Amino acid sequence: MSDLEGEFGKNVGMLVERQWPRLSTTLLYLAAEHGELIGKWALKILVCIGKAGAKAKKIVSDEMAHALKDGKLPADFYVRLGHLKNPGIGTIINPYVHARHGTVLRRRAHRDGVAFKAVIALNHLAVGISSAPEMKQTFVPFEGALPVMAYPEKENSERENYSFHDAGTFEACLEFAEQPR
């Protein structure tokens, strides 16, 4: 797991600088090619936050943490990237996801406690990770902006508008749709 930090820095580091790079679109889509690596790094950050007691309730289950140690990401796990116009350093962590059932949006926690949504802000880069078993991730555009898909599927075409006001607006655009059972 210690190699994770170095690999993250090598593949994503240019997007974490204080100044958003001029070739940001190209760099963001190149970073998205490493979505699994970014997901493992971000999940590791959440495990560390939980172990540090920085959050009242740990978000990552012991099962997920052990699987991560073996290099595996959970099923129904998503990684999304975006640009923050107002940079910052921090996390937004929710032990639930926002799920849309028809036109109704509500908070949904998984019965086994494995649903969560988190955003890690690193200056101008937003890394959104989420786990929602039996749900499909959808997006609500914010001022025309959509996040860049990095894992499990990758973005096929480079879209220019992936910029959000701040980490909160980035987090708000990440929703789920309840799957019919």
Side-chain angles (χ1 to χ4, degrees):
M1 291 303 269
S2 61
D3 294 338
L4 204 50
E5 300 295 326
E7 286 298 309
F8 179 84
K10 183 172 83 174
N11 292 292
V12 184
M14 290 184 71
L15 293 170
V16 180
E17 299 296 328
R18 294 180 71 118
Q19 296 295 317
W20 191 241
R22 285 188 192 152
L23 299 173
S24 59
T25 298
T26 301
L27 292 173
L28 191 67
Y29 282 94
L30 285 173
E33 290 297 317
H34 302 279
E36 185 174 353
L37 167 75
I38 296 168
K40 289 176 183 176
W41 173 85
L43 197 55
K44 177 184 172 187
I45 296 297
L46 293 187
V47 169
C48 292
I49 288 171
K51 289 192 180 295
K55 196 76 174 144
K57 177 185 172 192
K58 72 177 175 179
I59 301 301
V60 180
S61 70
D62 289 338
E63 184 179 282
M64 278 186 202
H66 291 301
L68 179 63
K69 215 173 190 181
D70 294 333
K72 297 176 186 154
L73 289 174
D76 300 312
F77 184 78
Y78 299 91
V79 178
R80 305 296 182 242
L81 304 175
H83 167 256
L84 303 177
K85 294 174 187 172
N86 292 313
I89 304 287
T91 57
I92 298 172
I93 304 171
N94 295 307
Y96 56 81
V97 296
H98 289 103
R100 189 168 296 284
H101 184 80
T103 59
V104 178
L105 183 66
R106 54 184 171 212
R107 289 182 180 181
R108 289 289 307 261
H110 191 265
R111 65 184 171 277
D112 296 328
V114 293
F116 66 84
K117 180 168 59 165
V119 173
I120 300 172
L122 300 166
N123 289 322
H124 289 278
L125 177 66
V127 176
I129 63 169
S130 51
S131 173
E134 302 166 6
M135 293 186 203
K136 178 173 175 42
Q137 188 160 38
T138 60
F139 306 104
V140 175
F142 179 76
E143 295 179 354
L146 288 169
V148 173
M149 298 180 289
Y151 182 87
E153 67 278 352
K154 311 271 188 298
E155 189 76 42
N156 291 326
S157 61
E158 290 189 10
R159 178 176 12 83
E160 293 286 333
N161 194 357
Y162 47 78
S163 293
F164 298 84
H165 181 69
D166 55 24
T169 54
F170 179 77
E171 185 268 340
C173 85
L174 307 173
E175 290 186 359
F176 286 81
E178 293 187 34
Q179 301 283 10
R181 297 198 175 166

